[in-house]
Structure formats: structure tokens, C-alpha cells
């Protein structure tokens, strides 16, 4: 899925998806923004069994993230 998001006060997108890789299935959250002609992204990866366990921490990290000029 795709939804609007912010990273460091910059508007961007949040992509949530699953993928099968060599040894199993993984869940991903990628928050991406464009700032000063550069693409920045933060990626969270987890197995389905542990996915929910760290979502609150991810939200905290995203909310505290800031760009330095």
C-alpha cells in the first residue's frame, strides 16, 4: 500500500509491502522523501511474526528524525 507520510518535516510517501526472499517472507515499510534533489528513505524490515512488535518504535524514530542543514 502507499500513503502520504513525512520524514524530517518533508512530505513524502510510505510504502508498505511484503516479499518472499531466499529463506522466507518479509514485511517492509519504506518512508521516502525528496529533499534538495536527493532521495532519502528509512526502511523497516521484519518477519511477519515480529512485524507488529516494533511498529511503535518505528513511529517514534520517524517522529524524532530531523535533517541537519
Amino acid at each position: 500500500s502507499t500513503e502520504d507520510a513525512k520524514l524530517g518535516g518533508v512530505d513524502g510517501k510510505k510504502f508498505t509491502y511484503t516479499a518472499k526472499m531466499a529463506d522466507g517472507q518479509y514485511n517492509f515499510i519504506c518512508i521516502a522523501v525528496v529533499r534538495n534533489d536527493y532521495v532519502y528513505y528509512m526502511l523497516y524490515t521484519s518477519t511477519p511474526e515480529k512485524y507488529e512488535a516494533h511498529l511503535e518504535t518505528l513511529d517514534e524514530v520517524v517522529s524524532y528524525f530531523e535533517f541537519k542543514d
Side-chain angles (χ1 to χ4, degrees):
S1 67
T2 303
E3 60 187 80
D4 292 336
K6 283 188 183 272
L7 184 62
V10 179
D11 291 332
K13 294 291 181 184
K14 176 180 177 181
F15 305 96
T16 305
Y17 56 97
T18 60
K20 287 188 178 186
M21 295 176 55
D23 61 344
Q25 185 168 326
Y26 295 88
N27 295 43
F28 298 87
I29 295 176
C30 178
I31 300 171
V33 301
V34 177
R35 180 177 180 266
N36 298 333
D37 294 325
Y38 289 95
V39 175
Y40 296 88
Y41 68 90
M42 184 177 290
L43 182 65
Y44 169 67
T45 307
S46 176
T47 59
E49 299 79 29
K50 296 182 180 180
Y51 179 75
E52 297 284 332
H54 300 288
L55 291 179
E56 186 175 319
T57 302
L58 175 65
D59 289 341
E60 288 178 21
V61 170
V62 170
S63 72
Y64 287 116
F65 182 88
E66 62 182 49
F67 290 100
K68 300 291 184 187
D69 288 325

